[in-house]
Amino acid sequence: MPNATTRPKRTRRHRRAQREDAVRNELVSRSLESAQQCLFSQDYGTAFVHYLLALNLAPALKDFANVSLFFFFFQCFLDVVICLPDQSVYCNSLWWLNDVSKVEKASEPYCKASKCVFLCLQESFRFTLFRWADELDSLGRIQDLFNCYEQAMELFPVDEVIVNSMGEHLFRMGFRDEAAGHFYKALKLRPDFPEAKENFYRVANWLVERWHFLMLNDHGRNHKYQLAIKKAVEEGCSSVLDIGTGTGILGMCAKMAGAAEVYACELSKTMYELACEVLSANGMADSIKIVHLKSLDMKIPKDIPNRVSLVVTETVDAGLFGEGIIETLIHAWKHLLLPPPSTHQPLSSPSQTGRVIPAGATVFGVAVQCREIRRHHRLCASSVGGLDLSAVGQIYSPVSCLADTEDSTEPYTTERLSRLRGGYIQLTHPFTALDIDFNNLQELEGLCSREVMQLRLCVTQEGVLDALAVWFQLHLDQDNHLSTGPQEDTCWEQAIYPIQSPFNTVKCGDEILVEVSCKDSYLRLCCAAIIRDGHTFHMDNVTPKILTASPEAELCSALAGLQTSQEKPCAFMLESAEIALLNNTAYHNSFQRAMSKLLVSLKSTRRSDTELDPIYVLDVSEGFSVLSLIAAQLGSDSSEDKQISPGLVQAYSSVEKEHHQTMLRLLAKGNGVLESTLEFWLSHVEDDSAVLQRPATEKLWSAIILDCIETCGLIRQKMLEKATLARCLLEDGGQIFPERIVIHGMLVESDTLLRESAVQGTEPTLGFNIAPFINQFTVPVHVFLDLSTLECTHLSEAVELFALDLMNSTSNYTDREVKVRVNTSGKVTAIAFWYQIHLDSEQSVSTFSEDSHWKQAAVVLQQPLTVSRGEWVKLSIQLHKSSISITAVKEEGLGADDVIREAEPMTSDS
Ligand code: 44T
């Protein structure tokens, strides 16, 4: 009971305040009660509003929640209040909540009141938010969804679960950078939060792209930039602007070289914040002014006081211009740099004139044959899993220089030629495609308006013309050059311009007509024609209309065209990973065999009363998939398998995009599959997030197809949850495809992987302390690897790491230990892994096979483990949801000569 002597004199104002408190508290308790009622009736939107009101009126409720006490609902509240020693004061009022110290007192009787239903306020608020957000999401009310999260984060700014969930929504909607920022924040708030960790690892690449590590580990490149900057500063360039500073390294070089004024700009928020940390750690926070801006938005004197005498930049990508260096430099010459030395006074002082490092570049190219590029950009298989693919016409990848392709296309992709599976063959000698002087504004401006330049290349080797590969030399100054060529030992990839024309075989003596242009600030190289025996065969005059997300009318006419065969054939665009999937005949053929076996077995075991029921097949693959159609065809008249009755299969596909559906329809028609036997599942379910449902009331699925492994080499998120649901929706004798996945791994030593994962060594980078800051973004799991070409030494045989049985209950959390025998002495830096996908007990495919459209992945160890041949390494593998983590230790006491039997692999259920 408050002390009477210290109690303030009861004034009228005080009494009014008390009355207001009482009213407010009444409102708070009613809002909470209403929120609760709405929750029970699943009216999440209204429940959310009530919570917001209560939490805004009584912010102390949040503290209450934060000290991890339980929140009570209205009924419970009364019970608690009655238990309180000074109940006369608190009864029917909530004002004691304004004093958190009272909460401690309240807790004891509160806990005693165990008959009440308690729920953590924060938890029930989160629950409401998440359910409401899911509803808003399925209603397409995206702005409202984000508003709700913003309100929630204002109330609970350090709630990692809310922050992480907001990230998941952002990610699903394609705001990857922002999503990544949220996962990072959630992880900072709770470093052992597994969901945030899994999410962060999946997107860290967008926050700090992996090439930052490669570039900082590329000593040759660092040193050359340092030399060129030092020389320019020593020659008199006293004010420097580092455009696209990244970690701040080039700006720091300029400062170290003695530049009086150094400025830097960076457009990525994460990189800007990182650079600020790096500058502080190197004592340069006050001497280098850094702004979070794109250089094109910089103004004088707001962002820098005067024009500078030197711009340093490495805003170049594998295709040279892809990071916008042309635009950047045109703007810099016009607005940020001092004028160039005039031709009349070439000896004018460098501090009064402007210059750029790099001073210029030379671009080279070569025509190549490469099967790996071909199978990602061109349909190579004529039939897969019994389906004739010709009905679908031409398929294009979104990487294209063709004239009439859409905005969704990019002119090139990037690859490290030396790491392409199966290698490549040069069909011409390398040629010079372009020379550009970055110190010449007229030349920069003229580049985009300049006429298309035509080159004639002599074919020196017969082969299939699959791509033009491009690299460049960056002339930092007259003495220092960097090359991104395929033969060089650098961190650079090459730009790949795939050729998708059907006429693509070349013979010695042919000439290839290449057009070089610069449109939308991209360098474009296009194979226009092949000249043979004096005849010119143009490449792009056969380009049909390419359909992507086209209006329905166009798609309809595509279908009509098929019927009448009068229209110009159309072509479809698929992602390059989807093209590679379609080219994976081994996978589709195995699926066809496994599916056929299931159908035969179901047919023979069905009771007579269900004999005429269709066999329901659901394909929930993400992206484009023809598996449902393969199933439908097995149950159709035209099927070669006569053990299966026609019309038996009712297949559902989950493909969402209009042009994907059109492709499936075309393929169905072309393969004699009755249109009604293949339907699009998403038009049957109300809510996209509830894809796994019964086919119809009282019916169950005979087969559910899950695409468990992502192209990047990781297990698809939520795969285990999906499998659990799928099991509940299967009829007796039904099957999930695949039924089992076995994860295989191998000990490897690879410096390349290390260079891509963190700044290596203890030596400062060019004398600067950068590594500890950027290495916070190190991610242990590397994806999109091609193990067949990765520079690495295999230190063991491949072993089974663990197995996931999708047909039997598998807990979502798997812990295993596996002992691996070292067969080559070395330094274990990573555990590479891939999957054997068992469609059924007989049919399986490996994600490490030659035709695989899947890539492999690896867990890089925090500390390399030095091992000798004959020793044993114990791997501890954890699978949390779908993310894998592996640690390795040497098995002590077992020397090279000890004989031990390899531990029998445990099953994932044990
Ligand atoms: N990747 C190379 C491209 N920026 C390098 O935000 C080579 C890729 C690569 N900031 C494998 C190997 C390699 N104003 O942080 C970035 C970017 C920023 C700007 C301000 C501007 N106008 C720009 C333009 C870009 O500059 C930084 C560097 S861009 C370098 C790209 C190792 N895969």
Side-chain angles (χ1 to χ4, degrees):
M1 181 90 101
N3 185 339
T5 55
T6 57
R7 192 182 278 179
K9 232 168 118 194
R10 285 179 180 278
T11 59
R12 200 182 307 155
R13 211 212 263 136
H14 180 79
R15 276 197 299 279
R16 200 179 64 219
Q18 263 197 334
R19 266 201 315 278
E20 279 172 10
D21 275 352
V23 170
R24 195 192 53 191
N25 294 336
E26 175 69 19
L27 201 58
V28 170
S29 65
R30 277 175 188 229
S31 296
L32 292 172
E33 188 190 6
S34 307
Q36 185 54 24
Q37 278 165 359
C38 293
L39 268 187
F40 282 133
S41 55
Q42 299 185 357
D43 178 0
Y44 302 114
T46 320
F48 184 70
V49 173
H50 283 300
Y51 272 133
L52 280 187
L53 182 66
L55 285 162
N56 279 308
L57 282 173
L61 283 172
K62 290 183 291 174
D63 302 329
F64 187 48
N66 283 343
V67 291
S68 322
L69 286 177
F70 288 122
F71 173 68
F72 45 89
F73 300 123
F74 189 63
Q75 191 55 48
C76 315
F77 164 72
L78 288 179
D79 289 352
V80 174
V81 167
I82 289 160
C83 298
L84 288 170
D86 39 3
Q87 50 181 281
S88 56
V89 176
Y90 300 121
C91 199
N92 268 341
S93 128
L94 276 171
W95 72 263
W96 58 273
L97 282 176
N98 291 323
D99 181 351
V100 178
S101 66
K102 297 281 194 317
V103 170
E104 303 293 332
K105 260 203 228 159
S107 62
E108 198 191 322
Y110 166 76
C111 292
K112 279 192 205 140
S114 55
K115 62 180 185 292
C116 304
V117 182
F118 296 119
L119 202 84
C120 176
L121 167 64
Q122 209 161 335
E123 294 254 325
S124 75
F125 175 74
R126 278 179 198 156
F127 175 81
T128 314
L129 168 70
F130 298 160
R131 299 311 288 261
W132 179 225
D134 284 345
E135 254 181 74
L136 289 173
D137 191 4
S138 59
L139 293 169
R141 290 170 55 186
I142 306 307
Q143 192 54 49
D144 291 338
L145 186 156
F146 287 129
N147 288 346
C148 287
Y149 269 96
E150 242 133 59
Q151 286 166 314
M153 286 197 296
E154 251 169 53
L155 286 167
F156 294 104
V158 291
D159 185 317
E160 72 283 0
V161 185
I162 295 181
V163 174
N164 178 59
S165 166
M166 166 93 168
E168 288 176 350
H169 280 288
L170 284 164
F171 187 74
R172 267 205 300 279
M173 279 157 208
F175 302 108
R176 289 169 171 172
D177 282 354
E178 292 81 353
H182 280 76
F183 299 144
Y184 183 63
K185 190 175 161 198
L187 208 52
K188 279 251 154 142
L189 288 168
R190 178 147 69 94
D192 63 344
F193 181 21
E195 276 78 9
K197 212 187 255 181
E198 179 177 349
N199 284 331
F200 177 70
Y201 286 167
R202 278 175 193 260
V203 300
N205 303 8
W206 279 293
L207 275 187
V208 174
E209 292 184 65
R210 301 298 94 178
W211 48 257
H212 281 288
F213 296 112
L214 282 171
M215 288 179 123
L216 289 167
N217 281 320
D218 186 342
H219 303 293
R221 164 252 179 198
N222 296 342
H223 186 59
K224 283 182 182 162
Y225 256 102
Q226 188 178 38
L227 284 178
I229 292 170
K230 192 159 175 278
K231 193 165 145 229
V233 172
E234 283 170 357
E235 280 172 7
C237 291
S238 55
S239 55
V240 183
L241 169 63
D242 175 1
I243 295 183
T245 192
T247 52
I249 186 167
L250 300 185
M252 292 195 292
C253 282
K255 195 75 225 172
M256 279 290 275
E261 296 166 54
V262 179
Y263 308 96
C265 65
E266 172 55 56
L267 64 86
S268 142
K269 184 155 180 279
T270 312
M271 290 313 297
Y272 161 77
E273 284 166 0
L274 195 63
C276 291
E277 281 186 69
V278 171
L279 293 185
S280 296
N282 290 279
M284 296 196 198
D286 298 327
S287 52
I288 298 179
K289 185 189 170 195
I290 174 165
V291 289
H292 173 213
L293 279 179
K294 188 169 186 172
S295 64
L296 285 91
D297 298 324
M298 285 179 78
K299 300 267 178 324
I300 289 176
K302 190 171 144 273
D303 303 304
I304 51 172
N306 296 300
R307 286 175 177 255
V308 294
S309 49
L310 176 66
V311 157
V312 292
T313 189
E314 202 180 12
T315 50
V316 288
D317 71 334
L320 187 61
F321 299 155
E323 287 281 342
I325 194 167
I326 299 298
E327 241 187 318
T328 298
L329 292 182
I330 291 175
H331 172 268
W333 276 115
K334 286 185 172 169
H335 303 283
L336 306 171
L337 267 167
L338 288 164
S342 77
T343 36
H344 313 299
Q345 293 166 289
L347 295 176
S348 49
S349 156
S351 66
Q352 299 309 312
T353 58
R355 76 164 92 160
V356 177
I357 294 178
T362 308
V363 180
F364 304 94
V366 71
V368 295
Q369 164 177 309
C370 175
R371 187 179 169 273
E372 186 65 5
I373 297 175
R374 189 184 319 147
R375 72 190 189 95
H376 280 84
H377 298 280
R378 194 197 281 267
L379 188 61
C380 308
S382 55
S383 77
V384 292
L387 289 179
D388 174 6
L389 296 179
S390 61
V392 85
Q394 188 101 13
I395 286 177
Y396 283 91
S397 94
V399 187
S400 169
C401 265
L402 292 173
D404 62 350
T405 46
E406 300 183 12
D407 292 348
S408 56
T409 59
E410 294 213 332
Y412 56 87
T413 174
T414 67
E415 295 283 356
R416 214 165 263 116
L417 280 178
S418 61
R419 276 203 219 162
L420 281 171
R421 172 173 294 217
Y424 66 97
I425 298 169
Q426 294 196 358
L427 303 177
T428 63
H429 290 303
F431 59 94
T432 303
L434 188 85
D435 241 320
I436 176 84
D437 179 355
F438 292 144
N439 280 311
N440 185 334
L441 176 61
Q442 287 71 38
E443 201 175 311
L444 289 166
E445 286 186 315
L447 199 61
C448 295
S449 51
R450 172 153 115 184
E451 293 240 321
V452 173
M453 186 175 76
Q454 290 200 331
L455 298 169
R456 283 166 84 125
L457 313 177
C458 281
V459 173
T460 52
Q461 165 76 46
E462 180 175 320
V464 182
L465 183 52
D466 288 315
L468 293 170
V470 161
W471 65 94
F472 56 87
Q473 235 189 14
L474 212 50
H475 312 300
L476 300 183
D477 59 17
Q478 280 183 332
D479 309 320
N480 294 291
H481 310 271
L482 293 175
S483 167
T484 70
Q487 326 288 1
E488 308 284 329
D489 180 24
T490 75
C491 57
W492 281 90
E493 295 181 334
Q494 289 77 47
I496 306 292
Y497 296 76
I499 292 160
Q500 305 191 36
S501 156
F503 307 122
N504 57 5
T505 43
V506 288
K507 292 200 287 204
C508 288
D510 287 354
E511 282 183 300
I512 305 170
L513 193 66
V514 173
E515 291 182 348
V516 181
S517 61
C518 185
K519 215 181 92 197
D520 321 323
S521 49
Y522 274 126
L523 180 66
R524 286 167 194 266
L525 267 82
C526 191
C527 265
I530 294 172
I531 303 158
R532 180 175 298 164
D533 305 329
H535 301 288
T536 304
F537 300 93
H538 289 280
M539 290 256 201
D540 63 353
N541 61 2
V542 286
T543 314
K545 178 93 198 114
I546 298 176
L547 301 181
T548 49
S550 315
E552 209 169 341
E554 274 185 13
L555 298 170
C556 290
S557 88
L559 279 169
L562 183 89
Q563 279 158 354
T564 60
S565 312
Q566 279 164 3
E567 300 239 343
K568 180 182 174 185
C570 41
F572 293 91
M573 195 172 283
L574 287 181
E575 293 298 319
S576 57
E578 289 168 336
I579 297 180
L581 161 67
L582 211 46
N583 282 327
N584 188 347
T585 34
Y587 175 50
H588 289 96
N589 294 350
S590 298
F591 173 79
Q592 185 199 18
R593 286 191 287 267
M595 188 73 210
S596 162
K597 190 172 137 201
L598 173 73
L599 295 179
V600 172
S601 115
L602 283 172
K603 199 186 153 209
S604 66
T605 55
R606 278 204 162 180
R607 295 191 319 267
S608 54
D609 57 329
T610 55
E611 212 173 32
L612 293 175
D613 279 359
I615 287 180
Y616 290 107
V617 177
L618 173 64
D619 179 5
V620 291
S621 300
E622 290 184 21
F624 187 65
S625 162
V626 295
L627 298 182
S628 56
L629 184 57
I630 293 176
Q633 197 198 24
L634 282 169
S636 83
D637 247 342
S638 58
S639 168
E640 282 162 27
D641 199 331
K642 296 301 169 212
Q643 285 172 283
I644 306 164
S645 330
L648 188 69
V649 174
Q650 182 59 47
Y652 291 89
S653 160
S654 307
V655 302
E656 233 175 315
K657 293 182 182 147
E658 202 94 50
H659 70 288
H660 286 172
Q661 297 190 351
T662 309
M663 285 173 75
L664 281 185
R665 284 202 197 105
L666 282 173
L667 281 173
K669 279 205 176 138
N671 283 278
V673 177
L674 221 86
E675 208 173 332
S676 60
T677 59
L678 177 72
E679 291 192 54
F680 296 105
W681 181 237
L682 294 179
S683 52
H684 288 259
V685 292
E686 271 182 22
D687 180 356
D688 285 7
S689 61
V691 170
L692 280 160
Q693 290 182 18
R694 283 169 180 270
T697 331
E698 312 252 321
K699 302 280 183 226
L700 288 166
W701 297 102
S702 305
I704 297 180
I705 305 158
L706 299 174
D707 66 336
C708 302
I709 309 299
E710 288 184 41
T711 323
C712 69
L714 294 182
I715 299 175
R716 200 174 279 287
Q717 267 189 310
K718 305 253 157 78
M719 194 273 287
L720 292 169
E721 287 95 322
K722 278 190 187 166
T724 310
L725 262 176
R727 277 196 298 274
C728 304
L729 297 169
L730 276 189
E731 69 164 318
D732 252 5
Q735 199 175 317
I736 298 176
F737 291 103
E739 64 169 30
R740 218 164 92 88
I741 293 173
V742 179
I743 296 145
H744 292 282
M746 180 195 275
L747 309 180
V748 297
E749 172 170 352
S750 167
D751 286 340
T752 308
L753 275 184
L754 287 184
R755 281 198 298 270
E756 284 178 5
S757 72
V759 176
Q760 297 296 302
T762 46
E763 288 289 301
T765 318
L766 291 183
F768 304 117
N769 181 14
I770 300 177
F773 303 96
I774 190 152
N775 285 355
Q776 293 179 79
F777 291 87
T778 293
V779 167
V781 181
H782 282 237
V783 291
F784 282 114
L785 299 177
D786 193 328
L787 285 180
S788 68
T789 55
L790 180 78
E791 295 145 316
C792 71
T793 315
H794 298 180
L795 303 182
S796 76
E797 295 287 318
V799 292
E800 182 176 319
L801 297 183
F802 59 81
L804 295 172
D805 192 342
L806 306 194
M807 287 293 287
N808 291 306
S809 64
T810 310
S811 88
N812 271 2
Y813 199 91
T814 312
D815 263 314
R816 274 206 70 193
E817 279 184 0
V818 175
K819 290 187 188 114
V820 189
R821 190 170 183 276
V822 176
N823 64 13
T824 307
S825 301
K827 205 171 55 170
V828 184
T829 52
I831 321 297
F833 62 93
W834 62 93
Y835 312 85
Q836 191 74 29
I837 301 178
H838 295 267
L839 292 158
D840 65 12
S841 56
E842 286 164 14
Q843 300 298 324
S844 79
V845 286
S846 164
T847 65
F848 188 15
S849 68
E850 213 192 335
D851 282 329
S852 167
H853 62 284
W854 292 282
K855 299 277 185 193
Q856 297 87 51
V859 172
V860 174
L861 298 179
Q862 267 177 357
Q863 286 298 327
L865 198 66
T866 306
V867 291
S868 308
R869 183 184 155 85
E871 284 183 321
W872 290 80
V873 171
K874 188 173 78 186
L875 299 179
S876 303
I877 306 135
Q878 291 191 326
L879 185 75
H880 179 265
K881 301 216 166 166
S882 51
S883 86
I884 190 170
S885 57
I886 305 178
T887 52
V889 287
K890 268 207 275 194
E891 188 74 348
E892 291 305 333
L894 292 174
D897 301 327
D898 291 307
V899 180
I900 106 161
R901 272 161 56 90
E902 188 171 350
E904 208 56 54
M906 305 182 317
T907 67
S908 49
D909 309 74
S910 54

